[in-house]
Short mmCIF file of all heavy atoms in Angstrom, two decimals:
data_model
loop_
_atom_site.label_atom_id
_atom_site.label_comp_id
_atom_site.label_asym_id
_atom_site.label_seq_id
_atom_site.Cartn_x
_atom_site.Cartn_y
_atom_site.Cartn_z
N ASP X 91 -81.54 37.63 -20.67
CA ASP X 91 -80.15 37.52 -20.81
C ASP X 91 -79.53 37.45 -19.43
O ASP X 91 -79.59 38.37 -18.78
CB ASP X 91 -79.60 38.62 -21.66
CG ASP X 91 -78.11 38.45 -22.05
OD1 ASP X 91 -77.26 37.92 -21.38
OD2 ASP X 91 -77.72 38.77 -23.25
N SER X 103 -86.69 32.01 -5.22
CA SER X 103 -85.94 33.20 -4.86
C SER X 103 -86.51 33.91 -3.61
O SER X 103 -87.76 33.97 -3.48
CB SER X 103 -85.92 34.26 -6.00
OG SER X 103 -85.32 35.44 -5.62
N GLN X 160 -76.77 27.66 -41.97
CA GLN X 160 -77.05 26.76 -40.73
C GLN X 160 -78.61 26.81 -40.56
O GLN X 160 -79.26 27.82 -40.45
CB GLN X 160 -76.37 27.56 -39.55
CG GLN X 160 -74.84 27.27 -39.41
CD GLN X 160 -74.61 25.90 -38.91
OE1 GLN X 160 -75.46 25.19 -38.47
NE2 GLN X 160 -73.28 25.51 -39.11
N GLY X 171 -95.23 27.46 -42.71
CA GLY X 171 -96.39 28.34 -42.75
C GLY X 171 -96.55 29.18 -41.55
O GLY X 171 -97.47 30.01 -41.47
N LEU X 210 -80.45 52.07 -30.54
CA LEU X 210 -80.45 52.00 -31.99
C LEU X 210 -80.78 50.45 -32.32
O LEU X 210 -80.33 49.53 -31.64
CB LEU X 210 -79.07 52.33 -32.54
CG LEU X 210 -79.01 52.05 -34.10
CD1 LEU X 210 -79.71 53.00 -34.90
CD2 LEU X 210 -77.53 52.16 -34.53
N LYS X 216 -82.61 48.17 -42.09
CA LYS X 216 -82.47 49.58 -41.87
C LYS X 216 -82.22 49.97 -40.44
O LYS X 216 -82.59 49.23 -39.61
CB LYS X 216 -83.63 50.34 -42.40
CG LYS X 216 -84.05 50.15 -43.86
CD LYS X 216 -85.23 50.94 -44.28
CE LYS X 216 -85.53 50.76 -45.78
NZ LYS X 216 -86.81 51.42 -46.17
N VAL X 228 -88.71 46.44 -26.69
CA VAL X 228 -88.80 45.02 -27.23
C VAL X 228 -90.17 44.53 -27.02
O VAL X 228 -90.70 43.94 -28.08
CB VAL X 228 -87.82 44.11 -26.43
CG1 VAL X 228 -88.06 42.59 -26.75
CG2 VAL X 228 -86.39 44.52 -26.72
N GLU X 259 -78.60 48.39 -15.89
CA GLU X 259 -79.15 49.74 -15.89
C GLU X 259 -80.83 49.61 -15.90
O GLU X 259 -81.34 49.22 -16.78
CB GLU X 259 -78.79 50.49 -17.23
CG GLU X 259 -77.29 50.74 -17.35
CD GLU X 259 -76.84 51.41 -18.56
OE1 GLU X 259 -77.49 52.44 -18.92
OE2 GLU X 259 -76.06 50.88 -19.33
N LYS X 263 -89.09 53.63 -13.35
CA LYS X 263 -90.15 53.05 -12.75
C LYS X 263 -89.85 52.17 -11.63
O LYS X 263 -90.63 51.90 -10.68
CB LYS X 263 -90.81 52.26 -13.93
CG LYS X 263 -92.23 51.55 -13.45
CD LYS X 263 -92.88 50.83 -14.58
CE LYS X 263 -94.07 50.07 -14.12
NZ LYS X 263 -94.78 49.30 -15.19
N GLU X 273 -79.86 39.49 0.84
CA GLU X 273 -79.24 38.36 1.39
C GLU X 273 -78.09 37.92 0.52
O GLU X 273 -78.18 37.78 -0.74
CB GLU X 273 -80.25 37.26 1.50
CG GLU X 273 -79.71 35.92 2.03
CD GLU X 273 -80.73 34.83 1.93
OE1 GLU X 273 -81.86 35.03 1.46
OE2 GLU X 273 -80.48 33.67 2.48
N GLU X 274 -76.86 37.57 1.22
CA GLU X 274 -75.79 37.06 0.55
C GLU X 274 -75.95 35.60 0.39
O GLU X 274 -76.35 34.92 1.31
CB GLU X 274 -74.44 37.41 1.28
CG GLU X 274 -74.10 38.88 1.27
CD GLU X 274 -72.97 39.20 2.26
OE1 GLU X 274 -72.45 38.15 2.93
OE2 GLU X 274 -72.49 40.37 2.27
N ASP X 314 -69.77 54.53 -3.56
CA ASP X 314 -68.70 55.26 -2.73
C ASP X 314 -68.31 54.17 -1.71
O ASP X 314 -68.92 53.84 -0.70
CB ASP X 314 -69.34 56.44 -2.07
CG ASP X 314 -68.18 57.22 -1.34
OD1 ASP X 314 -67.06 56.80 -1.36
OD2 ASP X 314 -68.57 58.36 -0.86
N ASP X 319 -62.75 48.62 4.09
CA ASP X 319 -61.76 47.78 3.86
C ASP X 319 -62.18 46.74 2.63
O ASP X 319 -63.19 46.95 2.05
CB ASP X 319 -61.35 46.88 5.10
CG ASP X 319 -62.45 46.02 5.54
OD1 ASP X 319 -63.41 45.84 4.88
OD2 ASP X 319 -62.35 45.54 6.75
N ALA X 320 -61.15 45.84 2.28
CA ALA X 320 -61.45 45.00 1.10
C ALA X 320 -62.66 44.26 1.35
O ALA X 320 -63.55 44.08 0.39
CB ALA X 320 -60.28 44.19 0.89
N LYS X 323 -65.78 46.46 0.89
CA LYS X 323 -65.93 46.88 -0.51
C LYS X 323 -66.58 45.70 -1.27
O LYS X 323 -67.49 45.96 -2.12
CB LYS X 323 -64.62 47.27 -1.21
CG LYS X 323 -64.03 48.59 -0.61
CD LYS X 323 -62.62 48.82 -1.32
CE LYS X 323 -62.06 50.04 -0.76
NZ LYS X 323 -60.76 50.38 -1.33
N ILE X 396 -92.69 26.48 -19.03
CA ILE X 396 -93.49 26.54 -20.24
C ILE X 396 -95.07 26.33 -19.90
O ILE X 396 -95.30 25.48 -19.02
CB ILE X 396 -92.98 25.39 -21.13
CG1 ILE X 396 -93.76 25.18 -22.36
CG2 ILE X 396 -92.81 24.01 -20.34
CD1 ILE X 396 -93.18 24.23 -23.45
N MET X 433 -79.59 17.80 -36.05
CA MET X 433 -79.71 18.39 -34.74
C MET X 433 -79.28 17.46 -33.64
O MET X 433 -79.75 16.21 -33.74
CB MET X 433 -81.27 18.84 -34.53
CG MET X 433 -81.58 20.07 -35.17
SD MET X 433 -83.26 20.71 -34.69
CE MET X 433 -83.32 22.24 -35.57
N ASN X 449 -84.87 5.78 -22.75
CA ASN X 449 -83.50 5.99 -23.16
C ASN X 449 -83.15 7.48 -22.98
O ASN X 449 -82.21 8.08 -23.66
CB ASN X 449 -83.27 5.67 -24.67
CG ASN X 449 -84.24 6.41 -25.55
OD1 ASN X 449 -85.17 7.08 -25.08
ND2 ASN X 449 -84.01 6.37 -26.86
N LYS X 476 -69.85 15.52 -11.20
CA LYS X 476 -69.43 16.48 -12.31
C LYS X 476 -67.83 16.35 -12.41
O LYS X 476 -67.23 16.45 -11.35
CB LYS X 476 -69.84 17.93 -12.02
CG LYS X 476 -69.42 18.86 -13.06
CD LYS X 476 -69.81 20.30 -12.78
CE LYS X 476 -71.32 20.50 -12.70
NZ LYS X 476 -71.70 21.78 -12.37
N ASP X 490 -68.84 15.69 -6.05
CA ASP X 490 -69.88 14.84 -5.69
C ASP X 490 -71.08 15.70 -5.31
O ASP X 490 -71.29 16.26 -4.31
CB ASP X 490 -69.54 13.98 -4.36
CG ASP X 490 -70.59 13.00 -3.96
OD1 ASP X 490 -71.78 13.13 -4.29
OD2 ASP X 490 -70.23 12.00 -3.28
N LYS X 492 -74.22 15.08 -4.78
CA LYS X 492 -75.11 14.73 -3.78
C LYS X 492 -74.66 15.15 -2.43
O LYS X 492 -75.40 15.67 -1.61
CB LYS X 492 -75.32 13.24 -3.79
CG LYS X 492 -76.53 12.78 -3.02
CD LYS X 492 -76.79 11.25 -3.24
CE LYS X 492 -77.95 10.74 -2.51
NZ LYS X 492 -78.22 9.34 -2.73
N PRO X 495 -73.52 19.79 -3.11
CA PRO X 495 -74.27 20.42 -4.29
C PRO X 495 -73.78 21.74 -4.62
O PRO X 495 -74.11 22.21 -5.75
CB PRO X 495 -75.74 20.39 -3.77
CG PRO X 495 -75.60 20.38 -2.28
CD PRO X 495 -74.41 19.55 -1.92
N SER X 509 -63.05 5.02 -8.92
CA SER X 509 -63.88 4.39 -9.81
C SER X 509 -64.82 5.39 -10.45
O SER X 509 -65.15 5.28 -11.65
CB SER X 509 -64.68 3.22 -9.13
OG SER X 509 -65.55 3.72 -8.03
N ALA X 512 -62.94 7.26 -13.03
CA ALA X 512 -62.64 6.45 -14.27
C ALA X 512 -63.98 6.36 -15.14
O ALA X 512 -63.90 6.50 -16.27
CB ALA X 512 -62.20 5.07 -13.81
N ALA X 519 -65.71 10.52 -22.89
CA ALA X 519 -65.19 9.94 -24.25
C ALA X 519 -66.47 9.62 -25.03
O ALA X 519 -66.45 9.83 -26.23
CB ALA X 519 -64.24 8.90 -24.08
N ALA X 538 -56.81 27.64 -28.20
CA ALA X 538 -58.05 28.18 -27.62
C ALA X 538 -58.46 29.47 -28.29
O ALA X 538 -57.52 30.22 -28.38
CB ALA X 538 -57.97 28.17 -26.11
#
Side-chain angles (χ1 to χ4, degrees):
D91 191 321
S103 175
Q160 283 283 349
L210 173 70
K216 297 180 180 179
V228 167
E259 297 177 52
K263 180 180 178 182
E273 176 188 2
E274 292 173 354
D314 187 354
D319 61 11
K323 291 177 180 180
I396 179 169
M433 284 190 175
N449 63 345
K476 183 185 292 180
D490 183 335
K492 194 171 182 179
S509 61

